[in-house]
């Protein structure tokens, strides 16, 4: 979508205004006058529409998030059927504005009868200024991965079963040239993934376990980084049935962690990052039918740990635990897990931030937090103190799958940490993964959160 140009194109123009900004000699006088007024005014953004032409003025701001939101504001004012826009400016502030505009151009219209009428037709965001082709290519690829993740989260379970999710991942693997292997139910049984199989017992749809691997010729890491994402394609709560309003009706989004991690591998492969990454996606729906697992059941996990199930709606940790155990075979230098895991994360941080827990070294932890700050996918750092293990003690098994009402986000992270045999980072994205009302460039519905953060982390990754 973003591309470099040597001249102004189209009928819509954006000027990123600083002390050195000048207009094209062919700019109409009334636009020049409006520009001069804007330069001295307190206003941060303004626009003029003359006929079919748009002129946008945005004062340059070192706060990159404000520039991204300015990009969203431009998309709101721009004609729905505009096909081209030229942004005149340089550096990371201009790139941030373009990123916000491009992310705001996303729509999920697949199931609308009048999709053609609703559709934005913007295809080209031309960039005129001191910006490299490499920067443009990198942003385009990350946005492509975010859009893919948003599509996956927005798809209903009537389409996106666990099997279909694995097919969608295979497609992006073929495109970006990373390896994808899909394990079916029989192979999952052979692996003794008791958590994934237990959650799947109430469903008529089989589970899948998808393994992605992106490995460049000479990666900087000798041992891979393993990404694990929760792929609960729909969550009723199982026998611990959720209420429908504002809960079950949003649960097509419960595979946001899987979308984040698959999208991260996709972006890394498209941008040919020099880092070895493996992605693991356990996937199933969670239903109360058939032989559904029940509160009181004891499940033997892949690593032999026994888990007393006290709430079947705490299913994400059950399937993730097996995937984290599977990661041990790669002897990874780091495991990063992502999931829409707990309602408690929404209580702790709302929709404004994810919750991060880590036993990795402070450099890794801070680098992820700082990457999130840079792209404005902020995270609250919560502890993983051993004290929280006490809440997971069972009277009849090695662990129980819930730790009680207090510190629910942390005890969920602590449960998962038990299965990790390498430095471990857990990111609970329950808040920012899905919006119920339009929110600037994040849009409505699936946001694709976390991909931009992890990509920024990998771009700057040091052993």
């Amino acid at each position: 979508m973003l591309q470099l140009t040597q001249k102004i194109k189209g009928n819509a123009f954006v000027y990123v205004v600083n002390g050195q900004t000048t207009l094209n000699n062919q700019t109409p006088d009334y636009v020049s006058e409006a520009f001069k007024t804007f330069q001295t005014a307190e206003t941060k953004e303004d626009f003029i529409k003359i006929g079919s032409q748009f002129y946008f003025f945005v004062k340059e701001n070192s706060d990159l998030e404000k520039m991204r939101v300015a990009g969203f504001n431009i998309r709101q004012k721009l004609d729905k059927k505009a096909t081209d826009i030229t942004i005149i400016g340089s550096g990371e502030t201009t790139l941030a504005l373009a990123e916000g505009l491009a992310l705001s151009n996303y729509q999920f219209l697949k199931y609308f009868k009048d999709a053609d009428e609703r559709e934005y037709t913007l295809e080209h965001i031309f960039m005129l200024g001191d910006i490299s082709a490499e920067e443009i290519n990198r942003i385009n690829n990350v946005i492509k991965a975010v859009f893919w993740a948003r599509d996956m989260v927005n798809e209903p379970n009537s389409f996106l079963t666990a099997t279909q999710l694995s097919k969608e991942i295979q497609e992006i693997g073929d495109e970006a040239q990373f390896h994808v292997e899909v394990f079916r139910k029989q192979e999952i049984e052979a692996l003794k993934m008791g958590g994934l199989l237990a959650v799947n017992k109430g469903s008529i749809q089989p589970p899948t376990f998808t393994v992605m691997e992106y490995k460049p010729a000479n990666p900087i890491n000798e041992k891979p980084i393993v990404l694990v994402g929760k792929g609960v394609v729909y969550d009723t709560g199982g026998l611990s049935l959720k209420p429908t309003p504002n809960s079950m009706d949003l649960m097509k989004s419960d595979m946001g962690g899987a979308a984040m991690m698959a999208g991260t591998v996709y972006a890394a492969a498209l941008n040919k990052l020099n880092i070895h990454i493996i992605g693991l996606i356990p996937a199933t729906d969670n239903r109360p039918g058939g032989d559904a697992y029940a509160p009181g059941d004891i499940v033997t996990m892949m690593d032999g740990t026994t888990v007393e199930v006290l709430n079947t709606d705490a299913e994400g940790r059950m399937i993730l635990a097996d995937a984290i155990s599977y990661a041990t075979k790669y002897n990874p230098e780091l495991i990063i897990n992502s999931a829409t895991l707990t309602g408690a994360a929404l209580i702790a941080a709302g929709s404004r931030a994810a919750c991060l827990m880590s036993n990795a070294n402070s450099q890794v932890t801070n680098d992820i937090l700082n990457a999130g700050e840079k792209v404005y996918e902020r995270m609250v750092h919560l502890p993983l103190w051993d004290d929280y293990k006490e809440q997971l003690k069972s009277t009849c098994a090695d662990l129980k799958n819930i730790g009680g009402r207090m510190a629910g986000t942390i005890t969920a992270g602590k449960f998962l940490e038990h299965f990790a045999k390498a430095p471990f980072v857990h990111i609970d994205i329950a808040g920012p993964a899905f919006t119920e009302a339009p929110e600037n460039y994040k849009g409505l519905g699936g946001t694709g959160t976390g991909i931009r953060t992890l990509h920024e982390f990998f771009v700057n990754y040091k052993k």
Side-chain angles (χ1 to χ4, degrees):
M1 176 175 279
L2 276 61
Q3 59 189 94
L4 293 176
T5 184
Q6 298 301 315
K7 61 181 181 180
I8 292 176
K9 297 181 178 182
N11 290 319
F13 319 101
V14 182
Y15 290 89
V16 178
V17 179
N18 56 34
Q20 288 74 49
T21 305
T22 58
L23 298 185
N24 186 287
N25 292 334
Q26 298 177 350
T27 303
D29 291 342
Y30 51 82
V31 176
S32 298
E33 289 300 317
F35 173 71
K36 289 176 185 176
T37 301
F38 176 77
Q39 282 183 303
T40 57
E42 294 295 321
T43 309
K44 303 299 182 186
E45 302 171 29
D46 204 353
F47 81 106
I48 301 170
K49 182 178 185 294
I50 306 294
S52 62
Q53 292 192 320
F54 288 81
Y55 294 85
F56 296 93
F57 304 128
V58 178
K59 287 201 171 99
E60 188 171 39
N61 194 319
S62 60
D63 185 330
L64 299 183
E65 181 62 8
K66 289 183 178 177
M67 297 301 288
R68 293 185 194 102
V69 173
F72 163 76
N73 293 337
I74 289 168
R75 174 63 272 180
Q76 292 297 99
K77 296 177 178 72
L78 187 64
D79 190 285
K80 187 184 295 183
K81 297 305 179 183
T83 57
D84 305 321
I85 191 169
T86 300
I87 301 176
I88 302 98
S90 298
E92 66 175 1
T93 54
T94 298
L95 279 170
L97 183 144
E99 180 185 32
L101 173 58
L103 287 168
S104 302
N105 205 50
Y106 174 84
Q107 295 172 291
F108 186 73
L109 302 177
K110 178 178 175 181
Y111 297 99
F112 281 105
K113 186 169 60 174
D114 60 345
D116 290 346
E117 296 174 24
R118 296 170 180 262
E119 185 182 13
Y120 294 148
T121 58
L122 182 63
E123 293 183 13
H124 305 293
I125 300 175
F126 295 109
M127 309 293 293
L128 178 57
D130 186 13
I131 295 169
S132 71
E134 182 181 0
E135 290 172 308
I136 294 288
N137 185 64
R138 180 176 66 83
I139 288 178
N140 277 335
N141 286 332
V142 173
I143 290 171
K144 186 175 188 179
V146 170
F147 282 10
W148 177 86
R150 288 180 179 181
D151 280 348
M152 294 301 99
V153 174
N154 288 330
E155 283 284 4
N157 182 232
S158 54
F159 171 79
L160 197 72
T161 61
T163 299
Q164 186 63 39
L165 177 60
S166 68
K167 290 178 182 177
E168 299 289 331
I169 294 172
Q170 285 177 309
E171 286 184 12
I172 59 173
D174 290 342
E175 178 199 342
Q177 298 183 318
F178 61 86
H179 179 72
V180 178
E181 184 175 9
V182 180
F183 295 103
R184 310 294 176 181
K185 186 173 183 178
Q186 187 174 354
E187 294 156 310
I188 293 168
E189 289 171 337
L191 289 169
K192 298 182 179 179
M193 289 186 163
L196 178 54
L197 291 166
V199 176
N200 182 251
K201 285 176 70 177
S203 175
I204 62 171
Q205 294 286 344
T208 59
F209 181 60
T210 302
V211 179
M212 301 164 278
E213 183 168 21
Y214 166 67
K215 186 177 184 180
N218 296 294
I220 61 172
N221 50 329
E222 293 177 9
K223 298 189 292 184
I225 294 175
V226 176
L227 308 180
V228 182
K230 173 185 171 183
V232 176
V233 290
Y234 190 76
D235 181 21
T236 68
L239 290 178
S240 303
L241 198 66
K242 294 177 183 287
T244 296
N246 300 314
S247 182
M248 198 196 301
D249 51 352
L250 305 177
M251 283 300 105
K252 67 179 184 178
S253 67
D254 211 20
M255 39 62 65
M260 171 178 163
M261 292 319 203
T264 297
V265 177
Y266 186 27
L270 288 171
N271 280 329
K272 296 180 170 53
L273 299 189
N274 194 29
I275 189 161
H276 183 192
I277 306 170
I278 289 168
L280 305 177
I281 307 297
T284 180
D285 54 347
N286 183 27
R287 303 263 184 172
D291 188 28
Y293 81 134
D297 283 356
I298 295 176
V299 175
T300 302
M301 310 296 281
M302 181 182 178
D303 74 342
T305 298
T306 55
V307 175
E308 179 189 11
V309 176
L310 295 179
N311 187 335
T312 64
D313 195 23
E315 85 299 331
R317 66 200 71 183
M318 298 294 288
I319 72 172
L320 289 168
D322 282 338
I324 291 167
S325 295
Y326 186 86
T328 303
K329 69 174 286 188
Y330 299 105
N331 188 27
E333 67 182 40
L334 177 66
I335 299 170
I336 306 175
N337 181 82
S338 177
T340 51
L341 202 63
T342 65
L346 276 162
I347 302 302
S351 63
R352 302 295 180 186
C355 294
L356 177 142
M357 291 137 273
S358 173
N359 67 20
N361 65 53
S362 58
Q363 179 181 328
V364 166
T365 302
N366 289 332
D367 284 351
I368 294 174
L369 290 168
N370 290 337
E373 286 286 341
K374 183 170 182 181
V375 305
Y376 213 72
E377 293 179 337
R378 297 167 296 175
M379 288 175 268
V380 175
H381 188 188
L382 301 178
L384 271 182
W385 300 327
D386 281 346
D387 310 51
Y388 292 107
K389 283 182 179 178
E390 296 298 315
Q391 291 175 237
L392 294 169
K393 285 186 175 179
S394 167
T395 59
C396 55
D398 298 323
L399 295 172
K400 55 185 179 181
N401 79 327
I402 54 173
R405 183 180 177 190
M406 307 304 288
T409 298
I410 297 171
T411 55
K414 201 68 187 170
F415 178 91
L416 295 174
E417 183 194 37
H418 170 86
F419 300 89
K421 308 307 179 191
F424 176 68
V425 176
H426 168 54
I427 306 172
D428 192 330
I429 60 170
F434 193 86
T435 61
E436 296 181 61
E439 186 180 341
N440 59 50
Y441 62 85
K442 299 177 184 69
L444 174 64
T447 63
T449 193
I451 294 170
R452 293 163 57 240
T453 294
L454 289 185
H455 190 271
E456 181 70 19
F457 171 68
F458 287 135
V459 165
N460 298 292
Y461 185 76
K462 298 179 181 65
K463 286 189 63 180

